Amino acid sequence: MTRTRLPLRQVASARAGDKGDISCISVWVHDSRDYEAVKASLTPERVAAAYPALFRGRVERYELPGLHGLNFVMHAALEGGVNASLNLD
């Protein structure tokens, strides 16, 4: 079996939101056959390493296999959130 490397945006969609200093990103895999590969490569450690300045706390991942989804919850994120940061969204 040959493994093809694709950008995540070709096999999944994502949505993001935040409340205070907690940020969430949900990833929804389009085809159930790609779910396990996305789950294996999109780890909490990888998300934290990709954005070290934005997510300074722990990153948790919740799996929704029946929906082919992953929900990431980042703590101590976005410089304290919109109400605590001088940066605008």
Side-chain angles (χ1 to χ4, degrees):
M1 177 182 198
T2 304
R3 260 184 113 166
T4 303
R5 193 175 167 141
L6 298 170
L8 183 59
R9 69 179 173 270
Q10 287 188 359
V11 297
S13 299
R15 297 282 297 169
D18 64 272
K19 287 286 185 198
D21 72 341
I22 298 174
S23 182
C24 297
I25 299 173
S26 296
V27 177
W28 304 100
V29 180
H30 303 301
D31 189 323
S32 61
R33 294 172 292 185
D34 297 323
Y35 179 70
E36 290 300 322
V38 171
K39 187 171 78 169
S41 64
L42 197 56
T43 64
E45 296 79 17
R46 207 157 173 200
V47 171
Y51 302 99
L54 293 178
F55 310 137
R56 296 184 179 177
R58 71 185 186 281
V59 176
E60 300 172 306
R61 181 177 80 178
Y62 296 93
E63 300 172 9
L64 298 110
L67 299 173
H68 315 119
L70 301 169
N71 187 41
F72 293 88
V73 178
M74 287 73 65
H75 299 268
L78 308 174
E79 298 178 341
V82 69
N83 293 330
S85 175
L86 296 177
N87 293 324
L88 297 176
D89 281 348

